[in-house]
Amino acid sequence: MRYIIVGTGAVGGAIGGRLAEAGHDVVLVARGAQYAALREDGLRLTTPEGTRTHHLPVVDGPAATDLGPDDVLVLAVKTQDATAALDDWSARPVAGGGTAGERLPLICAQNGVESERLALRRFRRVYGCCVYLPASFVQPGRVVAAGAPLTGILHLGRYPSGTDDTVRAVAADWEKAKLAAPVSPDVMRWKYAKLLSNLANAIEAVTGVLSGPDAFTLLDRARAEGRAVLAAAGIEVAGGAEQEAARNGRIHFDPLDGSERAGGSSWQSLSRGTGTIEADYLNGEIVLLGRLHGVPTPVNDVLRRTANAFAREGRAAGSMTVAELTELADAAS
């Protein structure tokens, strides 16, 4: 199989680089400065083992590559960019007849739970991927993945449920690339559990890496809302002990230079000045479910709106205090 990484950021770059190191055919898809850097200088992937530069095929969209029946699309853009990417790639013809949407598997390697729904409107074969992969992408062409001994743990399964030969073959490939890939018939249980963890992203993006009791108290309030709405919606979630058992001893954060951990994906979006952030599909998913099921979610709504304002206005990541953000949440509650 050839893997086409649609969105070569932190997650896409780490997956693509590791697959290339394991001998698999990989095509990277990127835009703007990232496309230029990857094309001119290659993908610089730094892990605890060191830095390697991968000179891989790079394209800026589906029109720049021919698709074959053995291709696998890995969607790794942020959810706010998913619709455009899905529209573009699903209509692309595949050698031998038909389109990508009709013939090729698509794996949603993203935070949140919305992209699978968006993809299933356009692709017949959609797979969820719960991404647990500590990585950062702040400079064009460079991805830092600090997980050790594994680079990531990526639960895979067919969407909305089930498994098949394709997902088992993908998992076998990924397992050889320092990417644990447990195959799960109910992968969305894992993605909803990750969603609860990702409610921290907006707090981190606007106030900096979480530290101190006040930040964690605010996060606890956001997660309490999340658990309440998931229960009201009847959505099953992988439990904390189950998640810990899946990761125990297999992956930990290994600072590459002795420094503290940088911010996660939302913090990185603000740091790169992208103008968008994924809060509508993280905290906003909880807000949506709350409105559908009559459960108040004032804290998550404040986090969603504040993170969006930071992105829209170009405000610096981490430039609000936890006290200021908590005051906004208190006023809304």
Side-chain angles (χ1 to χ4, degrees), residues 290-317:
R291 290 170 178 169
L292 288 172
H293 296 280
V295 178
T297 57
V299 173
N300 279 285
D301 197 29
V302 164
L303 298 181
R304 180 193 66 83
R305 288 188 284 108
T306 304
N308 280 333
F310 264 62
R312 184 174 58 250
E313 298 165 8
R315 298 172 65 181

Side-chain angles (χ1 to χ4, degrees), residues 5 11-22 26 28 43 45 52 54 56 177:
I5 310 297
V11 170
I15 292 174
R18 279 307 202 188
L19 287 172
E21 291 172 11
V26 175
L28 305 178
L43 170 65
L45 176 61
R52 284 86 62 209
H54 301 288
L56 303 171

Side-chain angles (χ1 to χ4, degrees), residues 105-109 116 120 124-131 154-171 174 180-191:
L106 178 127
I107 300 170
C108 295
E116 285 83 0
L120 202 59
R124 289 180 180 174
R125 297 160 62 197
V126 175
Y127 301 83
C129 175
C130 180
V131 177
L154 308 167
H155 283 78
L156 294 169
R158 186 132 190 191
Y159 180 79
S161 63
T163 65
D164 59 19
D165 289 342
T166 296
V167 74
R168 286 187 285 271
V170 169
W174 291 21
V183 174
S184 173
D186 49 5
V187 69
M188 297 311 291
R189 289 178 65 248
W190 292 90
K191 295 207 71 166

